Amino acid sequence: MRFWVGAYASDAGSAEGIGILQAGEADAQSAGGPLGMVSTAVAAPGSPSWIVTHPTHDLLYAALESDGTVQAYRRTSETRLAAVGAPVDAGAAVCHVAVSPDASLLIASCWGDGRIVRIDLDPAGRPSRPQIAAEAVDPYGSSTEGPTLSTGARVSGAVVPDLAAAARAVREAVGEEFSHLVPGYDDAPETDAESEEALAGERVSRAHQATFLPGGLIATTDMGLDLVRFWRSGAQGLRLVQEVVLPKGSGPRHGLWHPSGFFYVVTELSREVFVLGADREGRWSVVSGEPLLGSLETDTAAELSMGRDGTTLYAGVRGSDTVGVLSVRGGGEALQLLALAETGTHWPRHHVVVDDMLLVAGQLADEIVSLPLDARTGVPGRVRHRTPSPSPTRLLPRR
């Protein structure tokens, strides 16, 4: 099985551009075999930190984070991509792109200036006509006071939970068989520049991701202003429908649509997963939240993904380099933390579930690792395979 690999280039990392990862045999549908980087598919010095495919055409779109642009690429062979047209301006530090199910547009999210940008796609998939959506306004204004998290995780001015007690609680919950997967924390982890700024209390808009939901709704996260915003796209661009305010300092990073109809959001700074749901009138609100107990105050959460049957979620945690395993409860309205397992690599920027394997991009370790998932609990085991990979930030299965 093969994957496209987004990465930071020489300005922020060590990759040449978009890479190709092979997991297992070339014709296998499983990713359980040895890992190896095949080649660099295309040079992209602007740092293609996030990549996504077109729904039907053999096209790939990259957020060139350092350049502030979105570039389309066409697959020309099994191992090569070629740029299609000129890059389209998006905004400072564009870090995510998402393509609509009907392939009529894509949404770019920009961490540097908070922009949400709609970019039209023509029938051939070529991007053009960027339109900047309404900017976000801080729901907390200039006040330094704000609500604390009901789940007890960290926000500015809130109390940090007793990590030793939290770790003991998690070990007890998962039982003796998996207690070794709950890590100890002896060293203070690193934090990246964006998280240090947020932890210091500066509040500026930091758009981070867009998700297309059923019924034409689009959800975007603003890490800097603690907002999840809902939009609809029309002839005049994106129209803001609603905003859901998360606790101050939580830092919503990435969202995940669940088949139950709930929308899960992982918060980078408070290290929680919130459950958002809509009422009969279509108004969204926070239904519940689950902290990633055992993570360190200086940790930052990263990616949120779903297991193959939808009953388990995986939330990456950078710093202590773990992944939170959460069980989906009831009708999807509640989550329960099952374990906080070691990833076996440093700075798990992104991860993806493929059948019974978890593949993790260790950004600061310059490697990709695979971990087997327990068939009964979904908890990852120890690293089975690893391969060098320069500054990986995104793993995208190839069609």
Side-chain angles (χ1 to χ4, degrees):
M1 209 178 162
R2 287 188 171 181
F3 300 78
W4 301 112
V5 180
Y8 279 127
S10 58
D11 55 343
S14 53
E16 295 179 2
I18 299 171
I20 300 175
L21 168 74
Q22 183 161 309
E25 300 300 324
D27 56 352
Q29 295 302 308
S30 169
L35 305 176
M37 293 300 292
V38 177
S39 65
T40 296
V42 65
S47 286
S49 61
W50 190 270
I51 49 179
V52 67
T53 53
H54 188 282
T56 55
H57 295 323
D58 218 356
L59 293 173
L60 195 73
Y61 303 97
L64 300 181
E65 187 167 336
S66 299
D67 290 351
T69 60
V70 173
Q71 176 67 61
Y73 297 95
R74 184 177 303 282
R75 182 171 164 179
T76 58
S77 72
E78 280 299 305
T79 58
R80 295 297 298 170
L81 295 168
V84 177
V88 177
D89 289 335
V94 55
C95 60
H96 188 273
V97 284
V99 179
S100 64
D102 66 359
S104 64
L105 60 95
L106 63 79
I107 303 295
S109 302
C110 305
W111 183 87
D113 52 22
R115 285 182 176 179
I116 299 294
V117 185
R118 189 187 92 165
I119 299 175
D120 289 345
L121 299 177
D122 69 13
R126 292 185 295 264
S128 65
R129 297 181 62 235
Q131 295 176 282
I132 302 170
E135 65 181 32
V137 177
D138 190 349
Y140 291 94
S142 58
S143 171
T144 58
E145 298 298 324
T148 57
L149 298 183
S150 59
T151 50
R154 180 195 182 281
V155 293
S156 180
V159 176
V160 179
D162 184 336
L163 295 178
R168 287 194 297 271
V170 174
R171 289 190 184 97
E172 183 178 347
V174 300
E176 183 177 348
E177 182 180 359
F178 299 102
S179 62
H180 70 282
L181 297 174
V182 181
Y185 306 110
D186 300 322
D187 302 316
E190 302 176 33
T191 57
D192 56 24
E194 64 186 62
S195 300
E196 287 176 353
E197 177 186 76
L199 288 168
E202 183 178 351
R203 292 187 61 81
V204 292
S205 179
R206 301 294 192 197
H208 218 292
Q209 188 214 35
T211 306
F212 286 89
L213 307 183
L217 204 61
I218 303 165
T220 63
T221 57
D222 193 306
M223 198 197 86
L225 300 183
D226 305 311
L227 287 171
V228 179
R229 300 201 285 171
F230 294 90
W231 312 78
R232 290 197 180 277
S233 182
Q236 303 304 314
L238 295 179
R239 175 176 60 86
L240 185 62
V241 175
Q242 187 195 348
E243 294 182 341
V244 173
V245 181
L246 295 191
K248 189 175 184 181
S250 56
R253 178 181 174 94
H254 279 192
L256 177 67
W257 171 256
H258 191 264
S260 63
F262 290 96
F263 186 57
Y264 303 133
V265 178
V266 63
T267 56
E268 178 167 334
L269 303 180
S270 68
R271 304 169 310 284
E272 295 180 279
V273 182
F274 283 96
V275 179
L276 276 61
D279 61 20
R280 293 180 179 180
E281 285 69 45
R283 298 290 296 176
W284 289 82
S285 62
V286 175
V287 175
S288 65
E290 181 76 351
L292 300 173
L293 292 174
S295 57
L296 294 173
E297 179 186 355
T298 46
D299 283 349
T300 56
E303 183 60 285
L304 183 66
S305 68
M306 182 167 54
R308 59 182 177 180
D309 61 1
T311 62
T312 309
L313 303 182
Y314 299 89
V317 180
R318 300 169 295 182
S320 55
D321 300 334
T322 54
V323 59
V325 184
L326 302 103
S327 175
V328 177
R329 298 297 190 183
E333 73 280 1
L335 302 173
Q336 180 183 0
L337 182 68
L338 297 179
L340 198 64
E342 294 181 355
T343 61
T345 189
H346 186 32
W347 215 252
R349 171 67 176 260
H350 190 256
H351 61 267
V352 61
V353 177
V354 182
D355 293 327
D356 60 349
M357 299 297 296
L358 182 72
L359 271 63
V360 183
Q363 180 188 336
L364 299 187
D366 293 316
E367 67 176 1
I368 297 169
V369 301
S370 64
L371 300 89
L373 298 176
D374 183 87
R376 180 171 59 86
T377 65
V379 174
R382 302 187 188 279
V383 171
R384 176 172 291 176
H385 300 288
R386 64 177 77 233
T387 185
S389 181
S391 310
T393 58
R394 163 73 160 153
L395 303 174
L396 178 63
R398 289 191 1 177
R399 291 201 301 265

